[in-house]
Amino acid sequence: MPHPAPPATLPAAVLWDMDGTLVDTEPYWIAAEHELVAEHGGTWTDAQALQLVGNPLEVSAAVLRDAGVDLPVAQIVERLLTRVTAQVRDDVPWRPGARALLDALAAADVPCALVTMSYTVLAEAVTAHVPGAFATLVTGDQVARGKPDPEPYLVAARRLGVRPSECVAIEDSPTGLTSALAAGARTLGVEAVLPIEARQGLSRAASLADVDLAFLRRMAAGEVLDLV
């Protein structure tokens, strides 16, 4: 008699992007960019802002300088961070399904890491609302090469003591998806402010509300799932 296949296991860890994936802070960033450019007499459009989604902050700051913000890159980053962090401390706009999935992973003892190009001050302001949910934070001010380079996800897996291929990464931006896939993580793209185009090996969902532990088990087993 053939033996039944063993049940699919959960991923060794789940690696979460933050802005646009865990929390709906992209509108906060876009508003802060508009305010800063207008303050310096420049022009800024939502289309330009969407091109910055997922970028390292220094890269975005350099684009804002080109748009007329007459400040050093480091000061532009500081202004944006201060504005967005203040809003997050007042109200964390969780993405649909994010808190429920975090709670399910905690109950199943699956460690999570936050992997974001935002800086530590903002990541800590967000995670303060879910104490203990994340075993480690990998932020844009902690890595030499930000997304789309794989370094942030490789650092997260190393800190958790797992292989990237044993992890599921959850992202919302093309830049972040490139980073996670290049690191070798099983990657889930969840639509936020930008569409998620199909890619080789990429799972997709329209919302985290459609993602549960069974979905993550299938991804960990090697399935590529597409709910878009």
Side-chain angles (χ1 to χ4, degrees):
M1 294 288 292
H3 295 290
T9 60
L10 285 163
V14 174
L15 314 177
W16 294 74
D17 172 57
M18 187 175 76
D19 298 293
T21 300
L22 181 69
V23 289
D24 190 19
T25 46
E26 295 298 357
Y28 290 178
W29 287 106
I30 291 171
E33 292 159 12
H34 275 287
E35 291 172 7
L36 191 55
V37 174
E39 179 184 317
H40 287 261
T43 59
W44 191 245
T45 67
D46 285 348
Q48 287 173 294
L50 291 176
Q51 292 177 4
L52 303 188
V53 172
N55 280 348
L57 285 177
E58 297 92 340
V59 173
S60 295
V63 175
L64 291 169
R65 269 182 60 91
D66 292 341
V69 180
D70 188 20
L71 294 172
V73 164
Q75 194 170 340
I76 293 173
V77 169
E78 180 63 24
R79 288 285 301 275
L80 295 174
L81 273 172
T82 298
R83 184 76 174 89
V84 176
T85 301
Q87 289 181 278
V88 165
R89 287 187 175 131
D90 287 339
D91 177 43
V92 178
W94 301 102
R95 292 289 296 165
R99 291 293 300 272
L101 186 56
L102 271 178
D103 290 345
L105 290 166
D109 293 323
V110 177
C112 291
L114 196 65
V115 186
T116 175
M117 289 298 90
S118 290
Y119 284 8
T120 303
V121 62
L122 179 54
E124 289 180 343
V126 170
T127 57
H129 293 268
V130 281
F134 292 95
T136 189
L137 310 180
V138 179
T139 58
D141 51 337
Q142 296 178 10
V143 295
R145 297 176 302 279
K147 300 172 187 178
D149 192 275
E151 180 184 349
Y153 281 101
L154 295 174
V155 170
R158 183 168 66 247
R159 287 184 185 175
L160 295 176
V162 297
R163 296 183 181 89
S165 60
E166 299 172 334
C167 301
V168 167
I170 307 177
E171 273 281 358
D172 75 294
S173 72
T175 301
L177 293 170
T178 298
S179 175
L181 288 166
R186 303 195 184 281
T187 304
L188 171 62
V190 181
E191 292 189 357
V193 297
L194 295 173
I196 301 294
E197 303 294 339
R199 300 195 197 186
Q200 182 70 33
L202 177 66
S203 294
R204 300 189 298 170
S207 168
L208 282 174
D210 300 326
V211 178
D212 57 13
L213 295 186
F215 188 101
L216 297 182
R217 282 192 180 93
R218 293 175 64 186
M219 284 189 65
E223 287 190 62
V224 175
L225 307 172
D226 199 334
L227 301 184
V228 174

